[in-house]
Amino acid sequence: MHGIAVAVLTENREHLSELQNRLEATRLARVVFTNVGFPIGPTHSILRQIQDLRVEVVIVDIAAENPHPAVKAIELIQANTLQLAIFANGSMQQPTTIVASMRAGAGEYLDDSAGAEALLEALTRFSSNRTRNRGGVGKARVFTFLSAKGGAGATTAAVNTALALQQAHGSVVLVDFATVGHAQLHLNLRPSFGVPDALQNLHRLDVSLLDGLMTIAKDGLHLLAGPQQPYPSMPTPAELARLFDLLVNHYRYVVVDASSRLDSTTRLLSDLSNAVLMVAQTDVVSLWSASRIHTFLEEGTGRNRLRLVLNRYKKIPGFTDEDVEQATRCKVLWKIPNAFHAVSPAIDHGTPVVLQENQEVSRAYRALAAALAEASPTDEGGLDLVYAQEKADSKRNIPGRLVITPARAGQ
């Protein structure tokens, strides 16, 4: 459903009905949340619901006889939510209330006696400013890497793909959601802060604080590091949505290393991603595990975005990609050649292989990054990622389909 997602908060049930009618008359808004009453604290359920429903504009109705609760609500919404516009709706005969609401964080003050026209103008200004601020680029793409089994190479793939994206496009953040973060070792970094700090400070997290939690790696890649001790973080959907809302509006690409983590957080990360890349090898244990992980992710939307990246790949006579896909029920997207002699020392020394120009494995990671960056978006929020083996689609030359092979993308 198109239109600006709007929430309406008021203490007057009759005003709620009036505001809904005015919003409907604009034909530019869709009301996704209403409530008679205001949030009274930073952890109030109203704030969580606003975040969960991805509200874009909140209208706070201000009572002429007692404006203080509404002004306080504007302050709470401004301080505890991200990327929201706040419209105050009240009497134009109370200048002190108008000033107080604007100081609290309202971007627009609407005359409560006006019709739909004033509301339409405010929503149009919001829509125009949003498009201009995005610069036509839109929000960042999110790619989550996870392992079919321990040691399959998900962290290596995430680190090298993130670096390749940074080299080619810039503005990339690597987020380490492993229970013990290893990405920092691959990059030879010693972070002071990371994901646990971001989750603990969501109530005051803004761009400035987020930048302060980052560790800068080679070529300007930003790392939001994982914990250095086992940290069984279980953020709620609302908390993850808040963190990623800030990340996707601040960076061009967000690369997540989920590593071998398999819990509700992994499923939530998959739901927030445009592509979920499961790193596996062509051995029995890896393929068996990949099939089970596919089943695990089926409960969320991430199942439609899952693709296989075959790591340390060596062609096995008589064993085809079709065999891999039948065993795992996952489509093969990419193949990273077996280059243990290059990858292992690179990890030990904290110098990722993608920085080594003359390595075949480096070209494979750069080509994978190019494929992810160039893929067309789908209506469901995923990416149209098709491997070259799907020859039927290639021969039909279906419009809008991206067909990239590792060899072609690396040329």
PDB file of all heavy atoms in Angstrom, residues 344-377:
ATOM      1  N   SER A 344      44.367 -18.168   4.469  1.00  0.00           N
ATOM      2  CA  SER A 344      44.784 -18.414   5.856  1.00  0.00           C
ATOM      3  C   SER A 344      45.822 -17.407   6.349  1.00  0.00           C
ATOM      4  O   SER A 344      45.641 -16.807   7.423  1.00  0.00           O
ATOM      5  CB  SER A 344      45.311 -19.844   5.995  1.00  0.00           C
ATOM      6  OG  SER A 344      45.668 -20.122   7.337  1.00  0.00           O
ATOM      7  N   PRO A 345      46.914 -17.153   5.601  1.00  0.00           N
ATOM      8  CA  PRO A 345      47.855 -16.116   6.054  1.00  0.00           C
ATOM      9  C   PRO A 345      47.232 -14.725   6.100  1.00  0.00           C
ATOM     10  O   PRO A 345      47.587 -13.910   6.956  1.00  0.00           O
ATOM     11  CB  PRO A 345      48.971 -16.172   5.002  1.00  0.00           C
ATOM     12  CG  PRO A 345      48.848 -17.498   4.351  1.00  0.00           C
ATOM     13  CD  PRO A 345      47.392 -17.824   4.390  1.00  0.00           C
ATOM     14  N   ALA A 346      46.286 -14.453   5.194  1.00  0.00           N
ATOM     15  CA  ALA A 346      45.638 -13.149   5.191  1.00  0.00           C
ATOM     16  C   ALA A 346      44.863 -12.924   6.479  1.00  0.00           C
ATOM     17  O   ALA A 346      44.866 -11.817   7.041  1.00  0.00           O
ATOM     18  CB  ALA A 346      44.719 -13.028   3.980  1.00  0.00           C
ATOM     19  N   ILE A 347      44.192 -13.973   6.963  1.00  0.00           N
ATOM     20  CA  ILE A 347      43.451 -13.866   8.225  1.00  0.00           C
ATOM     21  C   ILE A 347      44.424 -13.690   9.385  1.00  0.00           C
ATOM     22  O   ILE A 347      44.230 -12.838  10.259  1.00  0.00           O
ATOM     23  CB  ILE A 347      42.571 -15.110   8.436  1.00  0.00           C
ATOM     24  CG1 ILE A 347      41.484 -15.183   7.346  1.00  0.00           C
ATOM     25  CG2 ILE A 347      41.928 -15.082   9.820  1.00  0.00           C
ATOM     26  CD1 ILE A 347      40.682 -16.466   7.373  1.00  0.00           C
ATOM     27  N   ASP A 348      45.482 -14.482   9.387  1.00  0.00           N
ATOM     28  CA  ASP A 348      46.460 -14.420  10.480  1.00  0.00           C
ATOM     29  C   ASP A 348      47.110 -13.043  10.596  1.00  0.00           C
ATOM     30  O   ASP A 348      47.390 -12.567  11.702  1.00  0.00           O
ATOM     31  CB  ASP A 348      47.542 -15.479  10.281  1.00  0.00           C
ATOM     32  CG  ASP A 348      47.027 -16.894  10.490  1.00  0.00           C
ATOM     33  OD1 ASP A 348      45.949 -17.032  11.111  1.00  0.00           O
ATOM     34  OD2 ASP A 348      47.681 -17.848  10.029  1.00  0.00           O
ATOM     35  N   HIS A 349      47.329 -12.375   9.457  1.00  0.00           N
ATOM     36  CA  HIS A 349      48.016 -11.093   9.456  1.00  0.00           C
ATOM     37  C   HIS A 349      47.054  -9.903   9.437  1.00  0.00           C
ATOM     38  O   HIS A 349      47.495  -8.753   9.465  1.00  0.00           O
ATOM     39  CB  HIS A 349      48.962 -10.999   8.255  1.00  0.00           C
ATOM     40  CG  HIS A 349      50.104 -11.965   8.309  1.00  0.00           C
ATOM     41  ND1 HIS A 349      50.150 -13.117   7.548  1.00  0.00           N
ATOM     42  CD2 HIS A 349      51.239 -11.977   9.064  1.00  0.00           C
ATOM     43  CE1 HIS A 349      51.260 -13.780   7.811  1.00  0.00           C
ATOM     44  NE2 HIS A 349      51.942 -13.118   8.726  1.00  0.00           N
ATOM     45  N   GLY A 350      45.753 -10.177   9.374  1.00  0.00           N
ATOM     46  CA  GLY A 350      44.787  -9.087   9.357  1.00  0.00           C
ATOM     47  C   GLY A 350      44.811  -8.276   8.079  1.00  0.00           C
ATOM     48  O   GLY A 350      44.532  -7.070   8.092  1.00  0.00           O
ATOM     49  N   THR A 351      45.131  -8.921   6.948  1.00  0.00           N
ATOM     50  CA  THR A 351      45.172  -8.246   5.646  1.00  0.00           C
ATOM     51  C   THR A 351      44.280  -9.023   4.680  1.00  0.00           C
ATOM     52  O   THR A 351      44.744  -9.966   4.022  1.00  0.00           O
ATOM     53  CB  THR A 351      46.607  -8.183   5.098  1.00  0.00           C
ATOM     54  OG1 THR A 351      47.155  -9.507   5.061  1.00  0.00           O
ATOM     55  CG2 THR A 351      47.479  -7.305   5.970  1.00  0.00           C
ATOM     56  N   PRO A 352      43.007  -8.703   4.590  1.00  0.00           N
ATOM     57  CA  PRO A 352      42.063  -9.465   3.768  1.00  0.00           C
ATOM     58  C   PRO A 352      42.537  -9.657   2.331  1.00  0.00           C
ATOM     59  O   PRO A 352      43.167  -8.771   1.744  1.00  0.00           O
ATOM     60  CB  PRO A 352      40.793  -8.610   3.830  1.00  0.00           C
ATOM     61  CG  PRO A 352      40.905  -7.886   5.131  1.00  0.00           C
ATOM     62  CD  PRO A 352      42.355  -7.590   5.295  1.00  0.00           C
ATOM     63  N   VAL A 353      42.199 -10.812   1.767  1.00  0.00           N
ATOM     64  CA  VAL A 353      42.703 -11.162   0.435  1.00  0.00           C
ATOM     65  C   VAL A 353      42.188 -10.235  -0.651  1.00  0.00           C
ATOM     66  O   VAL A 353      42.815 -10.113  -1.703  1.00  0.00           O
ATOM     67  CB  VAL A 353      42.338 -12.623   0.069  1.00  0.00           C
ATOM     68  CG1 VAL A 353      43.127 -13.601   0.913  1.00  0.00           C
ATOM     69  CG2 VAL A 353      40.838 -12.855   0.184  1.00  0.00           C
ATOM     70  N   VAL A 354      41.061  -9.574  -0.437  1.00  0.00           N
ATOM     71  CA  VAL A 354      40.527  -8.696  -1.479  1.00  0.00           C
ATOM     72  C   VAL A 354      41.468  -7.520  -1.740  1.00  0.00           C
ATOM     73  O   VAL A 354      41.390  -6.874  -2.789  1.00  0.00           O
ATOM     74  CB  VAL A 354      39.118  -8.205  -1.095  1.00  0.00           C
ATOM     75  CG1 VAL A 354      39.177  -7.054  -0.106  1.00  0.00           C
ATOM     76  CG2 VAL A 354      38.318  -7.813  -2.332  1.00  0.00           C
ATOM     77  N   LEU A 355      42.365  -7.251  -0.796  1.00  0.00           N
ATOM     78  CA  LEU A 355      43.343  -6.183  -0.977  1.00  0.00           C
ATOM     79  C   LEU A 355      44.525  -6.630  -1.826  1.00  0.00           C
ATOM     80  O   LEU A 355      45.365  -5.803  -2.195  1.00  0.00           O
ATOM     81  CB  LEU A 355      43.841  -5.692   0.380  1.00  0.00           C
ATOM     82  CG  LEU A 355      42.766  -5.153   1.344  1.00  0.00           C
ATOM     83  CD1 LEU A 355      43.379  -4.788   2.680  1.00  0.00           C
ATOM     84  CD2 LEU A 355      42.057  -3.953   0.730  1.00  0.00           C
ATOM     85  N   GLN A 356      44.604  -7.929  -2.128  1.00  0.00           N
ATOM     86  CA  GLN A 356      45.696  -8.469  -2.934  1.00  0.00           C
ATOM     87  C   GLN A 356      45.225  -8.578  -4.378  1.00  0.00           C
ATOM     88  O   GLN A 356      44.427  -9.436  -4.727  1.00  0.00           O
ATOM     89  CB  GLN A 356      46.122  -9.828  -2.388  1.00  0.00           C
ATOM     90  CG  GLN A 356      46.538  -9.776  -0.912  1.00  0.00           C
ATOM     91  CD  GLN A 356      46.773 -11.163  -0.330  1.00  0.00           C
ATOM     92  OE1 GLN A 356      47.055 -12.106  -1.055  1.00  0.00           O
ATOM     93  NE2 GLN A 356      46.646 -11.269   0.990  1.00  0.00           N
ATOM     94  N   GLU A 357      45.724  -7.719  -5.232  1.00  0.00           N
ATOM     95  CA  GLU A 357      45.189  -7.535  -6.569  1.00  0.00           C
ATOM     96  C   GLU A 357      45.290  -8.770  -7.456  1.00  0.00           C
ATOM     97  O   GLU A 357      44.420  -9.026  -8.286  1.00  0.00           O
ATOM     98  CB  GLU A 357      45.903  -6.355  -7.254  1.00  0.00           C
ATOM     99  CG  GLU A 357      45.654  -5.017  -6.578  1.00  0.00           C
ATOM    100  CD  GLU A 357      44.219  -4.551  -6.739  1.00  0.00           C
ATOM    101  OE1 GLU A 357      43.577  -4.948  -7.729  1.00  0.00           O
ATOM    102  OE2 GLU A 357      43.743  -3.795  -5.878  1.00  0.00           O
ATOM    103  N   ASN A 358      46.324  -9.542  -7.350  1.00  0.00           N
ATOM    104  CA  ASN A 358      46.598 -10.585  -8.342  1.00  0.00           C
ATOM    105  C   ASN A 358      46.087 -11.968  -7.959  1.00  0.00           C
ATOM    106  O   ASN A 358      46.468 -12.960  -8.557  1.00  0.00           O
ATOM    107  CB  ASN A 358      48.105 -10.658  -8.614  1.00  0.00           C
ATOM    108  CG  ASN A 358      48.628  -9.368  -9.222  1.00  0.00           C
ATOM    109  OD1 ASN A 358      47.956  -8.757 -10.044  1.00  0.00           O
ATOM    110  ND2 ASN A 358      49.820  -8.959  -8.803  1.00  0.00           N
ATOM    111  N   GLN A 359      45.235 -12.039  -6.967  1.00  0.00           N
ATOM    112  CA  GLN A 359      44.728 -13.320  -6.520  1.00  0.00           C
ATOM    113  C   GLN A 359      43.374 -13.614  -7.178  1.00  0.00           C
ATOM    114  O   GLN A 359      42.501 -12.749  -7.269  1.00  0.00           O
ATOM    115  CB  GLN A 359      44.549 -13.333  -5.002  1.00  0.00           C
ATOM    116  CG  GLN A 359      45.856 -13.221  -4.225  1.00  0.00           C
ATOM    117  CD  GLN A 359      46.620 -14.526  -4.213  1.00  0.00           C
ATOM    118  OE1 GLN A 359      46.103 -15.568  -4.608  1.00  0.00           O
ATOM    119  NE2 GLN A 359      47.862 -14.468  -3.768  1.00  0.00           N
ATOM    120  N   GLU A 360      43.171 -14.850  -7.629  1.00  0.00           N
ATOM    121  CA  GLU A 360      41.889 -15.239  -8.210  1.00  0.00           C
ATOM    122  C   GLU A 360      40.771 -15.091  -7.192  1.00  0.00           C
ATOM    123  O   GLU A 360      39.658 -14.652  -7.523  1.00  0.00           O
ATOM    124  CB  GLU A 360      41.958 -16.687  -8.715  1.00  0.00           C
ATOM    125  CG  GLU A 360      40.660 -17.162  -9.355  1.00  0.00           C
ATOM    126  CD  GLU A 360      40.711 -18.635  -9.739  1.00  0.00           C
ATOM    127  OE1 GLU A 360      41.731 -19.288  -9.449  1.00  0.00           O
ATOM    128  OE2 GLU A 360      39.707 -19.124 -10.292  1.00  0.00           O
ATOM    129  N   VAL A 361      41.045 -15.435  -5.936  1.00  0.00           N
ATOM    130  CA  VAL A 361      40.027 -15.329  -4.899  1.00  0.00           C
ATOM    131  C   VAL A 361      39.642 -13.864  -4.658  1.00  0.00           C
ATOM    132  O   VAL A 361      38.483 -13.549  -4.374  1.00  0.00           O
ATOM    133  CB  VAL A 361      40.514 -16.004  -3.588  1.00  0.00           C
ATOM    134  CG1 VAL A 361      41.699 -15.264  -2.982  1.00  0.00           C
ATOM    135  CG2 VAL A 361      39.377 -16.103  -2.586  1.00  0.00           C
ATOM    136  N   SER A 362      40.590 -12.946  -4.826  1.00  0.00           N
ATOM    137  CA  SER A 362      40.289 -11.520  -4.680  1.00  0.00           C
ATOM    138  C   SER A 362      39.323 -11.066  -5.763  1.00  0.00           C
ATOM    139  O   SER A 362      38.367 -10.331  -5.492  1.00  0.00           O
ATOM    140  CB  SER A 362      41.586 -10.692  -4.762  1.00  0.00           C
ATOM    141  OG  SER A 362      42.534 -11.137  -3.827  1.00  0.00           O
ATOM    142  N   ARG A 363      39.572 -11.507  -6.989  1.00  0.00           N
ATOM    143  CA  ARG A 363      38.684 -11.136  -8.093  1.00  0.00           C
ATOM    144  C   ARG A 363      37.282 -11.702  -7.876  1.00  0.00           C
ATOM    145  O   ARG A 363      36.281 -11.068  -8.224  1.00  0.00           O
ATOM    146  CB  ARG A 363      39.275 -11.631  -9.410  1.00  0.00           C
ATOM    147  CG  ARG A 363      40.556 -10.897  -9.815  1.00  0.00           C
ATOM    148  CD  ARG A 363      40.939 -11.233 -11.247  1.00  0.00           C
ATOM    149  NE  ARG A 363      41.366 -12.618 -11.380  1.00  0.00           N
ATOM    150  CZ  ARG A 363      42.631 -13.028 -11.223  1.00  0.00           C
ATOM    151  NH1 ARG A 363      43.574 -12.151 -10.905  1.00  0.00           N
ATOM    152  NH2 ARG A 363      42.958 -14.304 -11.357  1.00  0.00           N
ATOM    153  N   ALA A 364      37.207 -12.897  -7.282  1.00  0.00           N
ATOM    154  CA  ALA A 364      35.895 -13.510  -7.028  1.00  0.00           C
ATOM    155  C   ALA A 364      35.087 -12.680  -6.030  1.00  0.00           C
ATOM    156  O   ALA A 364      33.879 -12.485  -6.205  1.00  0.00           O
ATOM    157  CB  ALA A 364      36.075 -14.931  -6.508  1.00  0.00           C
ATOM    158  N   TYR A 365      35.736 -12.180  -4.985  1.00  0.00           N
ATOM    159  CA  TYR A 365      35.027 -11.367  -3.995  1.00  0.00           C
ATOM    160  C   TYR A 365      34.615 -10.023  -4.585  1.00  0.00           C
ATOM    161  O   TYR A 365      33.509  -9.524  -4.315  1.00  0.00           O
ATOM    162  CB  TYR A 365      35.889 -11.151  -2.745  1.00  0.00           C
ATOM    163  CG  TYR A 365      35.854 -12.315  -1.786  1.00  0.00           C
ATOM    164  CD1 TYR A 365      37.015 -12.983  -1.415  1.00  0.00           C
ATOM    165  CD2 TYR A 365      34.648 -12.739  -1.243  1.00  0.00           C
ATOM    166  CE1 TYR A 365      36.985 -14.051  -0.531  1.00  0.00           C
ATOM    167  CE2 TYR A 365      34.608 -13.809  -0.349  1.00  0.00           C
ATOM    168  CZ  TYR A 365      35.782 -14.467  -0.001  1.00  0.00           C
ATOM    169  OH  TYR A 365      35.735 -15.516   0.874  1.00  0.00           O
ATOM    170  N   ARG A 366      35.474  -9.421  -5.390  1.00  0.00           N
ATOM    171  CA  ARG A 366      35.105  -8.150  -6.009  1.00  0.00           C
ATOM    172  C   ARG A 366      33.934  -8.342  -6.977  1.00  0.00           C
ATOM    173  O   ARG A 366      33.052  -7.485  -7.097  1.00  0.00           O
ATOM    174  CB  ARG A 366      36.313  -7.537  -6.725  1.00  0.00           C
ATOM    175  CG  ARG A 366      37.322  -6.908  -5.770  1.00  0.00           C
ATOM    176  CD  ARG A 366      38.305  -6.035  -6.505  1.00  0.00           C
ATOM    177  NE  ARG A 366      39.241  -6.819  -7.302  1.00  0.00           N
ATOM    178  CZ  ARG A 366      40.392  -7.297  -6.862  1.00  0.00           C
ATOM    179  NH1 ARG A 366      40.756  -7.053  -5.616  1.00  0.00           N
ATOM    180  NH2 ARG A 366      41.184  -7.981  -7.653  1.00  0.00           N
ATOM    181  N   ALA A 367      33.923  -9.471  -7.671  1.00  0.00           N
ATOM    182  CA  ALA A 367      32.821  -9.755  -8.585  1.00  0.00           C
ATOM    183  C   ALA A 367      31.520 -10.005  -7.826  1.00  0.00           C
ATOM    184  O   ALA A 367      30.441  -9.575  -8.267  1.00  0.00           O
ATOM    185  CB  ALA A 367      33.166 -10.972  -9.452  1.00  0.00           C
ATOM    186  N   LEU A 368      31.597 -10.697  -6.696  1.00  0.00           N
ATOM    187  CA  LEU A 368      30.410 -10.909  -5.867  1.00  0.00           C
ATOM    188  C   LEU A 368      29.861  -9.571  -5.388  1.00  0.00           C
ATOM    189  O   LEU A 368      28.640  -9.333  -5.428  1.00  0.00           O
ATOM    190  CB  LEU A 368      30.753 -11.803  -4.673  1.00  0.00           C
ATOM    191  CG  LEU A 368      29.656 -11.963  -3.604  1.00  0.00           C
ATOM    192  CD1 LEU A 368      28.381 -12.544  -4.203  1.00  0.00           C
ATOM    193  CD2 LEU A 368      30.164 -12.849  -2.460  1.00  0.00           C
ATOM    194  N   ALA A 369      30.741  -8.687  -4.942  1.00  0.00           N
ATOM    195  CA  ALA A 369      30.304  -7.368  -4.494  1.00  0.00           C
ATOM    196  C   ALA A 369      29.626  -6.604  -5.621  1.00  0.00           C
ATOM    197  O   ALA A 369      28.601  -5.943  -5.414  1.00  0.00           O
ATOM    198  CB  ALA A 369      31.501  -6.577  -3.956  1.00  0.00           C
ATOM    199  N   ALA A 370      30.181  -6.703  -6.830  1.00  0.00           N
ATOM    200  CA  ALA A 370      29.580  -6.020  -7.977  1.00  0.00           C
ATOM    201  C   ALA A 370      28.198  -6.574  -8.280  1.00  0.00           C
ATOM    202  O   ALA A 370      27.263  -5.822  -8.589  1.00  0.00           O
ATOM    203  CB  ALA A 370      30.491  -6.159  -9.200  1.00  0.00           C
ATOM    204  N   ALA A 371      28.042  -7.883  -8.197  1.00  0.00           N
ATOM    205  CA  ALA A 371      26.738  -8.500  -8.456  1.00  0.00           C
ATOM    206  C   ALA A 371      25.698  -8.028  -7.454  1.00  0.00           C
ATOM    207  O   ALA A 371      24.550  -7.725  -7.808  1.00  0.00           O
ATOM    208  CB  ALA A 371      26.863 -10.023  -8.411  1.00  0.00           C
ATOM    209  N   LEU A 372      26.072  -7.946  -6.181  1.00  0.00           N
ATOM    210  CA  LEU A 372      25.137  -7.501  -5.148  1.00  0.00           C
ATOM    211  C   LEU A 372      24.770  -6.032  -5.338  1.00  0.00           C
ATOM    212  O   LEU A 372      23.617  -5.632  -5.137  1.00  0.00           O
ATOM    213  CB  LEU A 372      25.753  -7.712  -3.766  1.00  0.00           C
ATOM    214  CG  LEU A 372      25.990  -9.162  -3.341  1.00  0.00           C
ATOM    215  CD1 LEU A 372      26.790  -9.216  -2.049  1.00  0.00           C
ATOM    216  CD2 LEU A 372      24.670  -9.907  -3.179  1.00  0.00           C
ATOM    217  N   ALA A 373      25.747  -5.218  -5.728  1.00  0.00           N
ATOM    218  CA  ALA A 373      25.490  -3.789  -5.899  1.00  0.00           C
ATOM    219  C   ALA A 373      24.617  -3.507  -7.119  1.00  0.00           C
ATOM    220  O   ALA A 373      23.818  -2.560  -7.117  1.00  0.00           O
ATOM    221  CB  ALA A 373      26.816  -3.037  -6.027  1.00  0.00           C
ATOM    222  N   GLU A 374      24.752  -4.329  -8.167  1.00  0.00           N
ATOM    223  CA  GLU A 374      24.067  -4.047  -9.432  1.00  0.00           C
ATOM    224  C   GLU A 374      22.725  -4.763  -9.575  1.00  0.00           C
ATOM    225  O   GLU A 374      21.977  -4.494 -10.514  1.00  0.00           O
ATOM    226  CB  GLU A 374      24.983  -4.449 -10.594  1.00  0.00           C
ATOM    227  CG  GLU A 374      26.268  -3.624 -10.671  1.00  0.00           C
ATOM    228  CD  GLU A 374      27.289  -4.240 -11.612  1.00  0.00           C
ATOM    229  OE1 GLU A 374      26.932  -5.209 -12.320  1.00  0.00           O
ATOM    230  OE2 GLU A 374      28.439  -3.757 -11.622  1.00  0.00           O
ATOM    231  N   ALA A 375      22.406  -5.662  -8.654  1.00  0.00           N
ATOM    232  CA  ALA A 375      21.174  -6.446  -8.773  1.00  0.00           C
ATOM    233  C   ALA A 375      19.939  -5.555  -8.694  1.00  0.00           C
ATOM    234  O   ALA A 375      19.898  -4.579  -7.947  1.00  0.00           O
ATOM    235  CB  ALA A 375      21.126  -7.509  -7.682  1.00  0.00           C
ATOM    236  N   SER A 376      18.927  -5.914  -9.454  1.00  0.00           N
ATOM    237  CA  SER A 376      17.671  -5.164  -9.455  1.00  0.00           C
ATOM    238  C   SER A 376      16.834  -5.538  -8.226  1.00  0.00           C
ATOM    239  O   SER A 376      16.776  -6.712  -7.847  1.00  0.00           O
ATOM    240  CB  SER A 376      16.868  -5.474 -10.722  1.00  0.00           C
ATOM    241  OG  SER A 376      17.615  -5.137 -11.875  1.00  0.00           O
ATOM    242  N   PRO A 377      16.156  -4.558  -7.614  1.00  0.00           N
ATOM    243  CA  PRO A 377      15.301  -4.863  -6.461  1.00  0.00           C
ATOM    244  C   PRO A 377      14.021  -5.559  -6.894  1.00  0.00           C
ATOM    245  O   PRO A 377      13.550  -5.385  -8.019  1.00  0.00           O
ATOM    246  CB  PRO A 377      15.008  -3.488  -5.869  1.00  0.00           C
ATOM    247  CG  PRO A 377      15.123  -2.548  -7.029  1.00  0.00           C
ATOM    248  CD  PRO A 377      16.188  -3.116  -7.921  1.00  0.00           C
TER     249      PRO A 377
END
